[in-house]
Amino acid sequence: MSAAPRTPRPRRTPPPPPPRRAGGPRLPGIRPAALPAAGSPDWYRRAVFYEVLTRGFFDSNNDGIGDIGGLRAKLDYLEWLGVDCLWLLPYFPSPMRDGGYDISDFFTVHPNLGTLDDLVAFLDDAHRRGIRVIADLVMNHTSDQHPWFVESRSSWDNPKADWYVWNDDDQRWADARVVFVDVETSNWTWEQSRQQYYWHRFYSHQPDLNYENPEVVEAMFDVVRFWLDLGLDGFRLDAVPYLFQRDGTSGENLPETHALLRRLRKEMEAVYPDRVMLAEANQWPADLVDYFGDGDECHMCFHFPLMPRLFMAVRREQRFPVTEILAQTPVIPDGCQWAIFLRNHDELTLEKVSEEERDYMVAEYVKDPRMQRHMGIGRRLAPLLDGDRRLAQLLYALLFSLPGSPVIYYGDELLMGDNLYLGDRDSVRTPMQWSPDRNGGFSRADFAQLYLPPLMDPVYGFESVNVEAQQRNPSSFLHWIRSILQTRKQFPVFGTGSFEVVPCANPSVLAYVRSPHPPAPDTTTAAPDKATRGGRAGRVGRSGRAGAGRGDGAVEVVSNPVLCVHNLSRFAQPAELDLARWAERTPVELLGRVPFQSVGSATYGVTLGPYGFYWFELMDHDPMGRGDGNDGAPG
Ligand code: GLC
Ligand code: CA
């Protein structure tokens, strides 16, 4: 993008062709895809994200590799599931030595995955269904096969000589840590033809771009504009803390990096006001919040420190790992949002825990040394939990009710397993399991041709875990996820509300209230509901929910606070909650719409089964028309 001010373009007007200095023209005749109708600019605060590996999802041409056509073919499923935004892992040309994060051309699609036309058609279809799509933007580095690097490494005086970070010795920036400690010994690698070292924060085949060079910044802004013009709804900014280096620092989170991101936001917003920037910064909370700037940097940021603490809390059967990290998390600027997750395409990272906590996590979750990958654990959600469905439901209940927008990793909605015998991150990147048919319904290619073998073990293999079977069984995990997502969608307060921990003497109980932000005065009047709605005695209709439909079209009708109570223990637990602030309100359980006893002046008693949880709408009147607050336990 140029630095000159740009006038906002009306939506749906085809933009002028972007300058393609870096990649050359590739798009004759392709028009930008339509954007979702009636989107609100902060749609991402109410959205549920779904992370998908294109090559692992569905193979539409039976060559053994999932592709863009396959994503398109499975939009019915994704719409049925009820997700709002897909995050596509890198789909660019790549030698595939880091799962596609080693990009050799930023301006097109990997030939194995399809064409740009396929991508545009897919975006159009997704948007028509109200599903948005973001993709990885790998700004920090390229593959060593990228023509930019091939040129840069060739001599000292070629036009791209300064596009990467070169040095005569390998001693500079010694304070910068090596990220892949188990694979790389230094952030410098010797280049024979230049007789110099080049800098890389990840694998040695991924040289870092030199953002001190304005040409590099311009080239990357061209990449951004190219994909936004094509219709992408935003980016996950991969490995974003490392864009700059400076003497005497760790080379992470430098002011220069933040300044560049703010510039990117400004230029992006001028032309594409409803697109989103989601930062991948594996940092402590105090450093993480800097990626929001003053609301003028990234819209979203993954909450990395929270993730391992959810797993710690359920193993310790104590809420403190979660409440402590949330207490250390500063308030974020208006319009910003956390992205929260249980698992993703990488190992369960243990970078942001103390050494003691790391030892604990390894002792609890690493049953076989093969499970350890880089500084983390290369397992999927279900095997981490020994396949315990109640525990998985509890963790999803936390994911869907803690502050932030949840990100589901493909296959984890089925409780798919992993394959420890595959290298690096491939353990958690096996084909999506669609049916009990050949190759799990993923592809009709010969087994030997598949990009990775599907799981075939008796516990997690595709014969026992697959979409078709779970869609047919109304009590499957998949149906459970779908229905809790529908419930969540009806209460936008889960996305946008404030968060307050409710005191409780039992350490196994994690209770909190999500309130409309700013908290509604006690005079809020909720439309009275018909207590008989739904036909089951003792159930009431909904009042605190948004209008039906997708997150971005949602209208907040009435906003009552929602009380969430979770039992992190494998045994039944009593909870005495201090709900004094919500005295007189009547908790109505969200999934069944069953009203409980109103809150009185004493503590409020709830009994929870093993890994049990309740979400209650705190209504300001008793929908059953019963008397005043009751001091007793609701039983
Ligand atoms: C991010 C990606 C990871 C990749 C790394 C380097 O952390 O999630 O998969 O290896 O960046 O690109
Ligand atoms: Ca294919």
Side-chain angles (χ1 to χ4, degrees), residues 59-61 63 65 67 112:
D59 176 13
S60 69
N61 63 349
D63 64 355
I65 304 169
D67 43 49
N112 288 347

Side-chain angles (χ1 to χ4, degrees), residues 385-599:
L385 310 180
D386 298 322
D388 188 322
R389 174 170 172 167
R390 285 175 313 180
L391 181 48
Q393 288 180 339
L394 173 73
L395 280 168
Y396 271 112
L398 291 165
L399 184 74
F400 295 152
S401 64
L402 282 167
S405 293
V407 185
I408 302 169
Y409 184 48
Y410 87 96
D412 280 354
E413 74 275 29
L414 303 174
L415 295 183
M416 248 171 75
D418 50 42
N419 182 349
L420 294 181
Y421 299 91
L422 297 174
D424 202 354
R425 279 79 171 256
D426 283 345
S427 58
V428 299
R429 298 178 183 178
T430 59
M432 178 74 172
Q433 296 170 193
W434 294 103
S435 75
D437 299 344
R438 173 154 55 113
N439 302 326
F442 161 73
S443 170
R444 297 184 53 77
D446 288 344
F447 175 81
Q449 216 183 333
L450 302 182
Y451 80 99
L452 284 180
L455 297 186
M456 289 176 287
D457 63 90
V459 179
Y460 296 110
F462 60 74
E463 289 190 353
S464 28
V465 177
N466 64 71
V467 172
E468 186 184 304
Q470 294 201 26
Q471 277 188 323
R472 260 167 65 171
N473 172 9
S475 0
S476 65
F477 193 79
L478 181 61
H479 271 282
W480 181 85
I481 286 265
R482 178 172 183 256
S483 96
I484 197 162
L485 283 179
Q486 282 172 349
T487 302
R488 184 186 194 274
K489 200 158 288 187
Q490 288 163 343
F491 292 84
V493 77
F494 284 122
T496 56
S498 64
F499 171 84
E500 194 176 334
V501 174
V502 172
C504 176
N506 184 338
S508 290
V509 174
L510 172 55
Y512 42 84
V513 172
R514 304 296 315 273
S515 304
H517 199 55
D522 263 359
T523 51
T524 309
T525 44
D529 285 289
K530 302 208 169 31
T532 51
R533 187 183 172 279
R536 203 196 294 177
R539 287 160 52 110
V540 295
R542 299 167 196 275
S543 71
R545 62 178 186 165
R550 308 217 136 263
D552 52 293
V555 187
E556 260 165 88
V557 185
V558 185
S559 287
N560 283 318
V562 171
L563 164 68
C564 307
V565 193
H566 307 88
N567 175 11
L568 309 180
S569 156
R570 62 197 195 283
F571 303 116
Q573 296 286 342
E576 289 294 324
L577 304 172
D578 179 356
L579 293 181
R581 280 202 37 210
W582 297 275
E584 314 278 290
R585 288 195 176 243
T586 304
V588 176
E589 201 276 328
L590 289 199
L591 305 179
R593 303 304 300 167
V594 176
F596 278 44
Q597 301 271 16
S598 297
V599 180

Side-chain angles (χ1 to χ4, degrees), residues 98 101 141 180 202 206 236 238 280 345-346 425 429:
D98 179 22
Y101 282 92
H141 47 264
F180 292 154
F202 295 91
Q206 284 167 320
R236 169 201 184 253
D238 177 68
E280 185 221 15
H345 63 292
D346 291 331
R425 279 79 171 256
R429 298 178 183 178

Side-chain angles (χ1 to χ4, degrees), residues 237-363:
L237 306 176
D238 177 68
V240 88
Y242 312 103
L243 301 183
F244 286 84
Q245 295 69 236
R246 205 203 297 163
D247 292 333
T249 73
S250 68
E252 300 185 28
N253 317 319
L254 293 178
E256 301 86 311
T257 296
H258 288 294
L260 181 71
L261 294 175
R262 281 198 300 275
R263 199 178 134 199
L264 177 64
R265 165 79 177 258
K266 204 169 167 197
E267 300 212 11
M268 226 169 101
E269 207 157 62
V271 189
Y272 314 95
D274 58 351
R275 315 293 172 96
V276 71
M277 287 163 60
L278 162 57
E280 185 221 15
N282 194 347
Q283 302 290 330
W284 291 101
D287 295 320
L288 267 180
V289 290
D290 289 345
Y291 286 88
F292 295 118
D294 296 320
D296 58 353
E297 209 171 305
C298 297
H299 307 77
M300 298 182 76
C301 203
F302 285 105
H303 201 315
F304 271 96
L306 173 64
M307 183 274 299
R309 286 170 178 82
L310 289 166
F311 290 92
M312 254 185 258
V314 294
R315 266 306 206 267
R316 288 196 171 140
E317 308 194 19
Q318 293 200 343
R319 65 173 175 267
F320 304 116
V322 172
T323 49
E324 279 164 13
I325 202 72
L326 290 176
Q328 286 168 34
T329 301
V331 174
I332 61 177
D334 282 348
C336 292
Q337 177 75 318
W338 292 111
I340 57 178
F341 61 105
L342 297 171
R343 290 294 296 111
N344 64 17
H345 63 292
D346 291 331
E347 62 282 358
L348 191 170
T349 166
L350 298 175
E351 275 181 34
K352 291 297 171 268
V353 295
S354 69
E355 246 171 70
E356 209 184 14
E357 292 168 328
R358 194 172 306 137
D359 290 346
Y360 177 78
M361 286 291 286
V362 170

